Amino acid sequence: MATPDSSDRDARPSPEALLAAAQEQGRGRLKIFLGAAPGVGKTYEMLQTAHAKRREGVDLVVGIVETHNRRETAALLEGLEVIPRRRIEYKGRVLEEMDLDAILARRPQLVLVDELAHTNAPGSRHPKRYLDVQELLVAGIDVYTTLNIQHVESLNDVVAQITRIRVRETLPDSVLDAAQEIELVDLTPEDLIQRLKEGKVYVRDQAERATRHYFQPGNLTALRELALRRTAERVDEQMLSYMQAHAIRGPWAAGERLMVCLSDSQSVGALVRYARRAADRLHAKWTAVYVESARHHRLTEGERDRVAEALRLAERLGAETITLPGRRIADDLLAYAAANNITQIIIGKAERSRWFELLHGSVVRDLVKRAGNVSVHVLADKSLEPAAEAKPGAPASPRTFRIEPYLRSLVMVGVALGIAYLIHQFVEVASLSLIFLMAVLLSAISYGLGPSLFASAVSLVAYDFFFIPPLYSFTIDDPEDVIALSVFLLVAMLVSNLAAHTRNQAKSAADRARTTAELYAFSRKLAGIANADDLLWATTYQIASMLKVRAVVLLPEGETLALRAAYPPEDQLDDADLAAARWTWIHNRAAGRDSDTLPGAKRLFLPLRTGRGSVGVLGIDRDRPGALLTPDERRLLDALADQTAVALERVRLAQAVDEARLMAETERLRSALLTSISHDLRTPLASILGSVTSLRSYGDAYDEATRDELTATIQEEAERLNRFVGNLLDMTRLESGALEPKRSLIDLADIVGTALQRSAKVLARHHVEVDLPADLPALDLDFVLFEQVLVNLLDNAAKYAPSGSLIQIRSRRVDDSITIAVIDEGDGIPPGDLERIFDKFYRVHATDRQRAGTGLGLAICRGFVEALGGRIVAANRSDRRGAVLTITLPVPVQLPPISEPQSAPPQPTETRPLHELAAHDPHRR
Amino acid sequence: MSSQPTILIVDDEPPIRRFLRSSLAAQGYRVVEADTGEAALRQIADERPDLIVLDLGLPDRDGIELIREIRQTVETPIVVLSVRDDEKGKVQALDLGASDYVTKPFGTEELLARVRAALRHRLLEQGERPVFRLKDLEVDLVRRIVTLRQERIHLTPKEYDLLRLLIMHAGKVLTHRQLLRDIWGPAHVEDSDYLRSYVRMLRSKIEDDPTQPKLVLTEPGVGYRLNALD
């Protein structure tokens, strides 16, 4: 359990205490009924308390209670609402477990859950019941539960020692620590044995002899003491927490810091648990350290897993875990201890033969000797000690044997031999050995230990053969030379070892550097991607290649999660995986393979978290059986997941900004529309109403001319209103996509004619010139739509051109297109506005001074023209002031030939009397 | 037929009936009214009007259906009141037997002109008008001679057919289908290119400014009409 640093002596609530208090808001409260052994009456006590609560009016249900057919307990169940158990089929048997979903749906204030350390049947959401309970607590439901002291993880070894029974179902200490209340249900050993005799105690599946041993007075006393002590420690902690939360000055424990040294030995688990208990007693923080020496690379898979598992266990029990690279274990440990103010070191002592210790040295002995001020606790146990690596060890066989490095080493020695031979006339024999040493060194650096040792041996032989008298033989005359050769061999092997080790270290360092570089490249790449889909693809690809796994990413879509990216590409996840992914999303914790929830799923799912919450779920899968990821890989994955989450959040925020902007723009347009319509409809109406009421009230008093004027006004304004309404309708049709152009081949002259006729009044004060070449091909258009376009353009021209000026309609054929231009002599268009005039509600000078128009006319022109497959652009005249609006339309593909069907109508038809002709009425059928 | 033609107004909007009534009465017509399709049918049976002004947007009946029903019993000319964007409805009404149409909102002038044109057509059945005159154009329907400003102009047979048909229904609109069927025969009712090009050629011969025709007028999306100014 963590305690405040000794620096927190001033009278302020410690941050940890406050944080803990804050986190408890909204969660349910957990009360554990703790007992030393089965049969002390925990369930009974729990039920009694439940009844009391119920009388107080608390809404409680029974989640799961095991009565084991004891009548008194079963009697207590009456009157309580029991949630039916869930039936699970597994391998042909039907098992019953607590129905977690039913309880969550029921939402009681309090639920009773027996046997907190129980293991759920396969197929349940969580493998352990305490995880179910955690879900209940997160949902805000209070829980009462029962627990035997033997199930507590950190006490597992102690209990095993006492009772000779190793309990497999363990509960992490963190759950116990997090409980708000622990009530000890105590019974003296004598009373308990009595109850056993009366058959009131249920013990499961044990051999009778073991049971009898379990219920010995000595054992029971020891277990009782464990339970009592644990509860007492708990009270202690609560007192401390209270004092910290209220800033009461008190006697804090001295700031001890523990470090436990992990190895690959069999008993490393017990070591970790011991460390946890020690840390508890001392109220100290503790760290678990593993030194990754050269030996680590030679460990088997099983041994490496043991180390990884030990690190995970330590983490679960509340330690900080560190993996250090290093060569000399004892020195590295002490260096870390010194750097981190460690006050106590815990290490396991291995039993090795003296011979082994002589050769390899003992880490423990080195540690003890050089620890200085730090206390060292050595735990004895039957296991292997981590071997020191300071001296050259026995040659180890390489993982996969390849002949090539050996041959190359041979070549190097050969070269050395050549050089030595060349210069052996001029130097001392002894010095020649150095050349061979170079070869050995080179071989060690390039190819590792094996080939370099081989090179040492060959060098020795060559040296002896070629340079030690008698020459060209393997015998040695001079005893001094024997010594020289031995020394050479020793030095060569030492060099090999050193260099090879350095090479390994360099490789590890290079690996690490590469990983870091990849992480950096990953984050840089992510920073550059703006599109969510690209981001997801890059992410899954990177993660898959960096960790050699299969990666998928799911993002929320409406109410559910949807698969958005996968590398290698995937379409769907199966139901189990989807359930795990959804659980991860809802609870913001890992689920799936290798985790505490739904471990039967194929993949491991991690939430992609940012400070603001979850943005998605990442799923990992690998074909390798066993653990999915090593702790190192898991750390790397967490780093990648965090970066991905941040990048996703960034993209999402950018999108949100865009959407907000779009909405603001839409709002602007909408209010512009309302203002515009309101004004442009009301103005003519004002004139009409005014004129008409004037005529009705005072008409008699007016003379003919005035009456004429008023009625003319009414007519003009009504027509204007009609045009506006027409514009609005056109705009609505355009916007709603209800435009269905009815095309046919049309004469431009025809359409220009009708447009001019319709606009006759508007154009009354202008001259109009029409310039259409006679050979203009027919156009494939909707007559009505295009006529409206021309009418709008003429309207526009008339509005902005001065009275009496000229308006031209000109058409030309240009290659595959036909242009139709409406040209006026007005003020022209400001160059910056040549595109903007086609926007809705745009007016060149947006003041009331101009003749009002809804500003929709040109927008409608553009909409209709584009719907007909053409383009419209605005420009200013080059010869003088004025505007040119040009429509470009494609020429229809072929023109049907105009031919007169040959049969001329028969003459009789021509001379038929008129009334008969008239009677030839197309209306008659 | 009495000297005062009877006109039946069918429209569900009282304001529209009001102004139609006053305008038509002022021209000397006798006006009867109906506000639903049912009422209209009864009025037709009772009063035997000479012309019907029918709003397509009646509440109790589809206007097109009503035209079909009316045409089962009588041949009374019908002038249809329609809305701006309803080309399809107009064409359908005309093909089913309506004589002409007016688009809301319309001016009284326009309506009266159409009413006159529709009634005239009726009258033509009873009398003969061998020579047709319109501004500078004179057409002798018996001898098939067309003169413009006293000068004889030559039209091809089809062009003449077209002109004649327009004259027979002067002032009334003729749909593309009607024109094509009458001039080219039922097999060619979809060949609007023929019609278009012949109209163009006709216009080039009889109009002062073919690009701003005053005689042969285009009814957008519907057909053509001869402008009978009177």
Side-chain angles (χ1 to χ4, degrees), chain A residues 722 726 730 733 745-747 750 753-754 756 778 783-784 787-788 896 898 900-901 910 920 922-923 925, chain B residues 84-85 87 95 98 105 129 144 158 161 172 181-182 184 193 196-198 200 203 211-212 218 220 224:
Chain A
N722 190 22
D730 281 339
R733 278 165 73 201
L745 288 172
I746 284 172
D747 250 341
D750 208 348
T754 31
L756 283 172
F783 198 110
V784 177
E787 191 211 5
Q788 187 64 44
I898 302 167
E900 184 137 348
E910 297 291 331
H920 178 53
H923 300 171
R925 299 213 173 256
Chain B
R84 184 177 99 132
D85 294 323
E87 265 75 42
D95 283 339
R129 277 259 293 255
R144 305 185 72 225
K158 282 280 176 289
D161 283 344
K172 263 165 32 84
R181 199 188 52 226
D182 269 19
W184 277 277
D193 313 321
R196 185 181 42 80
S197 39
Y198 272 98
R200 187 153 69 144
R203 274 179 177 152
T211 57
Q212 303 202 34
T218 307
Y224 296 97

Side-chain angles (χ1 to χ4, degrees), chain A residues 722-723 725-727 729-730 733 742 744-747 749-754 756-758 768-770 772 774-776 778 783-784 787-788 896-901 903-905 907 909-911 913-915 917-925, chain B residues 71 75 84-85 87 91 94-99 104-105 121 124-125 127-130 141-142 144 156-158 160-161 164 168-169 172 174 178 181-182 184 188 192-194 196-201 203 210-213 217-221 224:
Chain A
N722 190 22
R723 278 202 299 282
V725 170
N727 271 356
L729 286 175
D730 281 339
R733 278 165 73 201
K742 204 177 69 163
S744 52
L745 288 172
I746 284 172
D747 250 341
D750 208 348
I751 222 174
V752 168
T754 31
L756 283 172
Q757 187 156 58
R758 234 175 94 191
V768 177
E769 239 176 53
V770 178
L772 305 173
D775 60 347
L776 219 50
F783 198 110
V784 177
E787 191 211 5
Q788 187 64 44
I898 302 167
S899 63
E900 184 137 348
S903 51
Q907 284 299 336
T909 324
E910 297 291 331
T911 53
L914 276 167
H915 65 267
L917 279 172
H920 178 53
D921 190 345
H923 300 171
R924 289 254 167 73
R925 299 213 173 256
Chain B
R71 277 286 171 263
E75 290 300 320
R84 184 177 99 132
D85 294 323
E87 265 75 42
V91 172
L94 291 168
D95 283 339
L96 277 176
S99 317
K104 288 196 276 199
H121 171 71
L124 264 177
E125 289 183 310
E128 290 191 8
R129 277 259 293 255
L141 291 163
V142 177
R144 305 185 72 225
T156 72
K158 282 280 176 289
Y160 180 79
D161 283 344
R164 197 202 71 231
M168 298 314 306
H169 299 269
K172 263 165 32 84
L174 291 169
Q178 289 164 355
R181 199 188 52 226
D182 269 19
W184 277 277
H188 295 277
S192 42
D193 313 321
Y194 290 161
R196 185 181 42 80
S197 39
Y198 272 98
V199 165
R200 187 153 69 144
M201 291 197 290
R203 274 179 177 152
T211 57
Q212 303 202 34
L217 303 178
T218 307
E219 290 293 329
Y224 296 97

